[in-house]
Amino acid sequence: MATAYSEDLRKRTLALINSGKTISEVSRLLNLSRPTIYRWKLQLETTGSTTPRSKNPPPYPSKIKDWQKFKEFVDQNGDRTTEEMARLWGGCSRHAISRGLKKLGYTRKKKR
């Protein structure tokens, strides 16, 4: 997986452009693509920063709010599929139910 360019390189690149060099010259000098330099320039203009963006998406808010009630629901309906549980719980998908089960520590493995 590719890593982000350092903030130092980004600042030096934009400093060269501000000193009067063209983007094509800086591109050839530092061996960077022109679209990358344009993207850094736009990022500096819009956010005021040249720091690389985070690769992790923001956390997804859970549709399950009352975890004690959900635990009781799971204990009563543990033999059902996640799709059936989602239908019974209402207002969420089977994926949300699956994430909730994982958060509570329930697995799909059968206990003997």
Side-chain angles (χ1 to χ4, degrees):
M1 181 176 217
T3 58
Y5 287 107
S6 68
E7 188 173 0
D8 179 52
L9 177 64
R10 293 167 184 240
K11 286 180 180 179
R12 285 187 295 140
T13 302
L14 296 173
L16 285 171
I17 292 170
N18 290 338
S19 71
K21 292 199 179 284
T22 66
I23 290 181
S24 294
E25 289 172 339
V26 174
S27 172
R28 281 191 296 272
L29 180 69
L30 298 176
N31 197 22
L32 296 169
S33 70
R34 286 182 297 124
T36 299
I37 297 172
Y38 282 115
R39 198 168 39 251
W40 291 349
K41 189 175 176 184
L42 179 66
Q43 181 183 352
L44 181 65
E45 292 169 358
T46 56
T47 65
S49 172
T50 58
T51 58
R53 288 187 231 137
S54 172
K55 291 183 181 185
N56 298 333
Y60 188 76
S62 178
K63 299 232 179 193
I64 301 167
K65 303 297 179 195
D66 189 356
W67 289 100
Q68 183 61 36
K69 186 176 174 184
F70 181 68
K71 185 172 180 1
E72 293 168 5
F73 171 78
V74 170
D75 290 338
Q76 292 172 359
N77 299 293
D79 59 335
R80 299 182 186 272
T81 65
T82 54
E83 290 174 1
E84 291 171 340
M85 291 172 77
R87 231 178 292 119
L88 289 173
W89 184 256
C92 65
S93 67
R94 67 180 176 88
H95 300 290
I97 295 291
S98 181
R99 285 191 300 267
L101 291 171
K102 184 175 181 181
K103 184 172 182 174
L104 290 177
Y106 287 102
T107 65
R108 292 181 279 180
K109 292 184 178 180
K110 306 293 185 239
K111 294 182 176 141
R112 296 183 186 232

